[in-house]
Amino acid sequence: MTTPRPPVAAEEDFSRLNDALDALRSVDERSFRVVEMRYFAGMTDEDIAGELRLG
């Protein structure tokens, strides 16, 4: 059984997202971590603040 591949456009979008996140990480590691926790881990602002030990 062959695993279906995502459309080429989706692969390009993922590649651009990955490049943008890499660029953000190289400029501002903390902001990168906030994006990662919020959008990929689904953490709340309060959870993120606790993880980063802010207030």
Side-chain angles (χ1 to χ4, degrees):
M1 181 173 181
T2 306
T3 303
R5 290 181 45 84
V8 173
E11 289 180 14
E12 290 173 3
D13 288 344
F14 178 77
S15 179
R16 288 195 315 226
L17 174 60
N18 193 49
D19 291 347
L21 290 172
D22 285 343
L24 176 60
R25 179 183 243 166
S26 71
V27 173
D28 187 343
E29 176 74 24
R30 186 166 156 197
S31 291
F32 167 80
R33 290 192 60 216
V34 169
V35 170
E36 183 179 50
M37 289 184 276
R38 181 67 167 171
Y39 294 100
F40 297 108
M43 295 171 72
T44 65
D45 291 342
E46 292 80 18
D47 293 336
I48 294 168
E51 185 69 25
L52 296 176
R53 292 165 177 66
L54 303 174

